[in-house]
């Protein structure tokens, strides 16, 4: 009995110590007017000079890319770095003209066979200013060609399979009942 009391007291003490430790970690003690050290302050995101309307487009889909900081009316090239295991390949996606504020926007098509992280680099043709944005490309669906039949199991195939299961089940139930009736009749005649 004494062992159970000691074990119960130890378990209760550990539970309280764990709860107090968790509370101490959840609510740090405020410092007396001291500013946090660089290791304690949260990192601030770097200012971005570009943005996209969709961070996760599908391969073959489109995304609107905007870059800032170009010269007014400057021609801006939009290129993708479609790096592969064999070599680095740069794919030209679009060309646009910066507006009076130095912003250039274009709708670009993501390369059809590409998946993963895709950096899109905008380059001002006069100033040489570059802006890079990145998107994460998911595999795209293969689009059906117009005029071609859609193949694969359709609703009719699923309906036929379901009907076959219902008819088969009904047949098994009927056979089981007939066998039972025959069995009962055979025992009744003895």
């Amino acid at each position: 009995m004494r062992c159970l009391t000691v074990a119960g007291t130890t378990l209760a003490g550990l539970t309280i110590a764990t709860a107090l430790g968790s509370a101490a970690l959840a609510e740090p003690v405020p410092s007396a007017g001291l500013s946090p050290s660089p290791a304690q302050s949260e990192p601030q995101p770097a200012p971005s000079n570009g943005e996209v309307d969709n961070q996760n487009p599908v391969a073959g889909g489109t995304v609107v890319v905007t870059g800032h900081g170009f010269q007014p009316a400057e021609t801006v090239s939009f290129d993708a770095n479609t790096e592969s295991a064999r070599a680095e390949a740069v794919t030209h996606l679009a060309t646009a003209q910066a507006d009076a504020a130095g912003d250039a926007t274009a709708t670009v098509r993501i390369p059809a066979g590409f998946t993963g992280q895709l950096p899109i680099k905008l380059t001002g043709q006069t100033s040489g200013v570059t802006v890079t944005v990145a998107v994460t490309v998911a595999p795209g669906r293969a689009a059906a060609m117009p005029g071609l039949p859609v193949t694969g199991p359709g609703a009719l195939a699923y309906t036929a399979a379901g009907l076959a299961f219902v008819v088969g089940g009904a047949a098994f139930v009927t056979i089981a009942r007939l066998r039972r009736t025959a069995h009962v009749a055979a025992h009744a005649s003895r």
Side-chain angles (χ1 to χ4, degrees):
M1 185 66 135
R2 180 174 163 92
C3 289
L4 290 176
T5 304
V6 170
T9 306
T10 304
L11 182 60
L14 287 173
T15 303
I16 292 170
T18 303
L20 290 174
S22 296
L25 289 175
E27 294 182 25
V29 178
S31 59
L34 299 175
S35 62
S37 67
Q40 293 175 339
S41 64
E42 291 192 27
Q44 297 297 319
S48 174
N49 286 338
E51 67 243 6
V52 294
D53 70 336
N54 181 4
Q55 282 296 133
N56 301 304
V58 295
T62 60
V63 64
V64 177
V65 181
T66 302
H68 311 287
F70 300 102
Q71 291 179 358
E74 177 177 19
T75 301
V76 179
S77 178
F78 292 70
D79 302 301
N81 182 1
T82 53
E83 187 176 312
S84 68
R86 295 183 305 270
E88 183 176 313
V90 176
T91 303
H92 180 70
L93 302 174
T95 303
Q97 187 173 13
D99 62 15
D103 299 334
T105 300
T107 300
V108 300
R109 182 162 303 281
I110 304 298
F114 189 87
T115 58
Q117 193 73 14
L118 180 67
I120 301 173
K121 183 178 181 181
L122 289 64
T123 307
Q125 300 302 295
T126 306
S127 66
V129 170
T130 61
V131 173
T132 302
V133 295
V135 294
T136 303
V137 181
R141 288 187 178 190
M145 297 290 290
L148 293 179
V150 176
T151 60
L156 184 58
Y158 290 122
T159 303
L163 185 59
F165 282 119
V166 169
V167 170
F172 282 123
V173 168
T174 303
I175 291 170
R177 283 188 180 173
L178 289 174
R179 291 181 93 186
R180 182 172 165 236
T181 304
H183 182 72
V184 169
H187 283 292
S189 65
R190 287 185 186 177

